[in-house]
DNA sequence: GCCAACGTTGGC
DNA sequence: GCCAACGTTGGC
C-alpha cells in the first residue's frame, strides 16, 4: 500500500467537509505531476488530509482512496472554475480519484512541527518551493507523522 | 499583504 | 526550442 498527502484550503474544502460528505471526488487538480500521482493511486491507499493557506498549515486527518483515476468532469463544465477547453470527454486531459473520510489524527500535526522533526528532513512537503497539491508520502514519513500526532503538544 | 518558487504562455 | 513575462501557490 502506498501513502499520499492531499492539500486543501479549508475554506474551500476542509476535512470536516469530507466527514460530512463521506466521500468526495478530488477534482480541480490542474498540474501534471499531481495528476500523475493520482493515476498511481490504488484503491485502499491511505493519505493525509492537509490544510494549507492558513495560519497554521497542518495534516489533520486520514482519508482513503476508494476510486482509482478517472476523468475529472469539472474540466468539461464551462461554468466550472476548473473548466479547461483542452480536456474533452473523448480525450480527457485531467484525472481525479475519489477519497473517503477515515478518521481525524489524534491531533493536527503542523507544518512547523514537521520541519522541526529531523527524521522528516527529506519529506517532499518540506522541500523549498514545493507546491504540489497531491504528493507521495514515504512509509517512514507516514509512521513518523502518526507518531507525532499521538504525542502531546510541546 | 508580500514575495519566492514554479508552471505556463507566447513571441521570436 | 529558448526564454522573458506573467499567473498561481502557499508559507510567512
Amino acid at each position: 500500500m502506498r501513502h499520499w498527502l492531499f492539500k486543501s484550503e479549508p475554506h474551500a474544502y476542509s476535512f470536516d467537509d469530507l466527514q460530512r460528505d463521506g466521500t468526495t471526488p478530488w477534482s480541480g487538480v490542474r498540474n501534471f505531476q499531481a495528476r500523475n500521482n493520482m493515476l498511481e493511486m490504488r484503491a485502499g491507499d491511505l493519505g493525509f488530509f492537509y490544510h494549507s493557506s492558513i495560519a497554521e498549515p497542518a495534516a489533520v486527518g486520514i482519508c482513503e482512496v476508494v476510486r482509482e483515476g478517472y476523468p475529472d468532469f469539472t474540466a468539461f463544465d464551462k461554468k466550472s472554475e476548473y473548466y479547461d477547453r483542452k480536456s474533452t470527454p473523448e480525450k480527457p486531459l485531467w484525472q481525479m480519484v475519489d477519497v473517503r473520510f477515515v478518521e481525524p489524527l489524534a491531533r493536527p500535526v503542523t507544518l512547523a512541527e514537521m520541519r522541526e522533526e529531523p527524521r522528516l528532513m527529506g519529506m517532499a512537503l518540506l522541500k523549498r518551493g514545493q507546491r504540489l497539491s497531491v504528493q507521495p508520502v514515504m512509509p517512514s514519513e507516514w509512521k513518523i507523522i502518526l507518531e507525532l500526532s499521538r504525542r502531546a503538544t510541546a
Side-chain angles (χ1 to χ4, degrees):
Chain A
M1 193 220 295
R2 296 187 63 186
H3 297 96
W4 309 93
L5 181 140
F6 297 85
K7 276 190 203 172
S8 187
E9 302 192 11
H11 14 84
Y13 194 84
S14 70
F15 193 58
D16 284 343
D17 292 331
L18 182 60
Q19 178 160 30
R20 179 198 61 212
D21 297 343
T23 298
T24 195
W26 206 257
S27 61
V29 173
R30 296 292 177 269
N31 172 286
F32 288 103
Q33 252 180 288
R35 179 202 66 180
N36 293 344
N37 284 337
M38 288 198 291
L39 288 175
E40 283 182 31
M41 293 179 185
R42 293 297 164 256
D45 283 1
L46 296 178
F48 288 126
F49 196 107
Y50 175 87
H51 283 167
S52 69
S53 286
I54 48 170
E56 283 220 301
V60 295
I62 295 174
C63 56
E64 177 192 357
V65 176
V66 289
R67 180 171 176 189
E68 298 177 5
Y70 65 105
D72 181 340
F73 49 77
T74 63
F76 312 143
D77 177 5
K78 275 189 180 147
K79 287 189 207 101
S80 167
E81 58 173 315
Y82 300 117
Y83 174 70
D84 184 346
R85 62 184 183 82
K86 295 194 293 292
S87 188
T88 62
E90 297 72 38
K91 277 193 119 186
L93 182 60
W94 303 112
Q95 304 277 318
M96 60 189 178
V97 295
D98 285 354
V99 299
R100 176 180 74 80
F101 174 89
V102 175
E103 60 179 1
L105 293 180
R107 67 172 181 84
V109 177
T110 66
L111 180 62
E113 209 176 331
M114 293 183 216
R115 286 197 194 286
E116 278 169 20
E117 172 53 62
R119 291 174 297 163
L120 291 178
M121 258 180 54
M123 190 173 173
L125 181 71
L126 308 182
K127 295 227 174 81
R128 197 172 168 71
Q130 190 318 113
R131 297 186 319 188
L132 272 191
S133 58
V134 178
Q135 48 181 267
V137 172
M138 297 301 107
S140 59
E141 297 163 351
W142 180 264
K143 250 183 95 184
I144 292 163
I145 291 169
L146 283 183
E147 181 191 311
L148 291 177
S149 74
R150 293 183 192 120
R151 197 187 281 173
T153 339

